[in-house]
Amino acid sequence: MDTIVLKFGGSSVADNLKLNIVAQKVIDLYDEGNNIVVVVSAQGKTTDNLIKEAKELSNLPEEREMDVLLSTGEQVSMSKLAILLNQLGYKSISLTGWQAGIYTSKESQNSKIEQIDTSRIEKELEKRKIVIIAGFQGINENEDITTLGRGGSDTTAVAVAAALNAKHCYIFSDVDGVYTTDPNKVTIAKKLETLSYKEMLEIANEGAKVLHNRCIEVGQKYHIPIITKSTFNNKPGTTLQDKIEDTNVKSIVKNDDIIYVHMKYETYSPELFSKLLKLLEKNNIGANNFVNNSIHSMDVYFTIKSTTLAKFQNLLENDLKAFDTTYKNITRIAIVGHGIMNDNKILEEAIKIVDLNNLEIINLEINESKLALMFSQKLSNTILEQLHIALIG
Ligand code: ADP
Ligand code: ASP
Ligand code: MG
């Protein structure tokens, strides 16, 4: 009997009507004679709302308590789906992260799955139960609940699929696959039939929500076929395949969730520089694109995600007062596809559009499968559409 893992995101489990659509998809695959493991996200905007409510109580809530709070969202959806499936006559059981044997690293809010003890899941599957697991959560060595970072239910699903040696891992969401750009930003975006893990990883790392970046690494490492599909239609989705196809642009990602930081201090101080790096790391503020423009003074530029701004502002007010700091919201656009570095035309076309729009590029990064441009300001979706027309059609 094959084991299939199905993951349903927040929009797929948002209300009772949608839970019925999910249940039908689960039942269809169960009735074909498969072992079914379902991983669910929190309903709709639950996680966003919980974060907002916690921030009304405290500007900087403890990360451990945020894990406890946010993990409740997934527990609501898993139990509702189990209640519904049981009512429909299909034996099912919901399991939290720790009940499902998902052990993670110690840190809060961005833990990594280290190991999965599948014995409980397997025991339930042997009884022909449908096993429903809370995505996004696990337990660490202190027996504290941990969470895997925003969008982390995808990683739960692929990791569980790897641990169970599942035949497929389906990621169901509100889009029927991975597109040539976010279809909610550019309407002419086209769905891709296949994509390599490497290309998908670049797309995810650049901030496209459609798949959590770490699930792609797990899928590639354990050779799990990942298929993204829509919960709301039966169209074929996008399959991740570990083969490199033709050289062309596959997808364009526009990320507006970026803060560009400039920090100055009159003399260069390795101690101060290392203090800055350590504080960013300790506070889980993933800083990227570091540049120091001078060897005599500190003239440091880097980017952070806008979701970490409150933590960064707190550091500026307390530990990093010595710096003269400014920051602003900017846009980064990444053009992804294997072989991009060898095709000069892609860079030429992109620069032509940048010049036509009188835009300033503050950072340009190119590797074999990505060309990324960072702009000095936040941009509308018009530029994304223009790049799409020029490079994809
Ligand atoms: P879920 O809540 O089911 O996990 P997400 O919101 O995380 O779903 O991911 C789906 C969203 O990803 C889509 O609604 C879409 O706006 C966004 N997205 C961004 N880039 C792409 C892309 N290239 N292809 C498809 N969807 C994309
Ligand atoms: N509920 C979590 C989030 O909104 C995890 C997930 O949806 O994957 O980030
Ligand atoms: Mg998601």
Side-chain angles (χ1 to χ4, degrees), residues 3 11 44 48 71 75 142 145 152 177 248 267 329 339 348:
T3 300
S11 47
D48 288 336
S71 65
Q75 293 185 42
N142 299 331
I145 295 172
N248 59 19
T267 48
N329 205 186
E348 279 167 23

Side-chain angles (χ1 to χ4, degrees), residues 7 9-10 41 150-154 171-173 208-212:
K7 181 259 168 176
S41 291
R150 295 303 308 268
S153 297
D154 296 337
I171 307 284
F172 286 97
S173 74
K209 282 199 306 184
V210 62
L211 280 180
H212 193 231

Side-chain angles (χ1 to χ4, degrees), residues 226-245:
I226 301 176
I227 303 153
T228 62
K229 280 172 90 73
S230 166
T231 305
F232 307 110
N233 65 46
N234 284 322
K235 291 183 189 161
T238 303
T239 304
L240 297 196
Q241 286 179 347
D242 212 3
K243 68 175 186 204
I244 303 301
E245 295 170 333

Side-chain angles (χ1 to χ4, degrees), residues 7 9-10 172-175 177-179 181-184 208-210 251:
K7 181 259 168 176
F172 286 97
S173 74
D174 59 350
V175 275
V178 182
Y179 277 68
T181 190
D182 186 342
N184 290 320
K209 282 199 306 184
V210 62
S251 195

